[in-house]
Amino acid sequence: MPEVLFVWVQNAGRSQRAAGILRQLAGERVTVRTAGSAPAGAVRSIIVTALDEIGVWIDGEYPKPLRMRWCVLPTRW
């Protein structure tokens, strides 16, 4: 199964937004993760509100630290 990792510094807005939209579009055909190099304490409420308005729910999401095991390049392109 394809995997996508969205990484931003704080992992509190843009990465969560991108992941939420991709999850909605791709469903269970893609594994989606988010991470940050310096994660914030919480996802920005304005992001949650904006996504709610377009029907994308990110309940339970929170800023997560980047784990190097997620950064392995594929063996085949």
Side-chain angles (χ1 to χ4, degrees), residues 5-64:
L5 172 62
F6 291 103
V7 179
W8 268 268
V9 174
Q10 293 185 333
N11 187 227
R14 289 178 286 259
S15 53
Q16 302 292 346
R17 179 180 59 210
I21 292 169
L22 179 56
R23 282 186 187 109
Q24 177 146 342
L25 293 173
E28 295 187 19
R29 296 176 301 206
V30 175
T31 299
V32 181
R33 292 188 174 95
T34 66
S37 56
V43 176
R44 291 187 182 89
S45 61
I46 193 163
I47 297 298
V48 175
T49 301
L51 290 174
D52 282 349
E53 289 176 2
I54 62 169
V56 176
W57 292 273
I58 59 169
D59 296 337
E61 288 296 321
Y62 59 94
K64 296 170 268 317

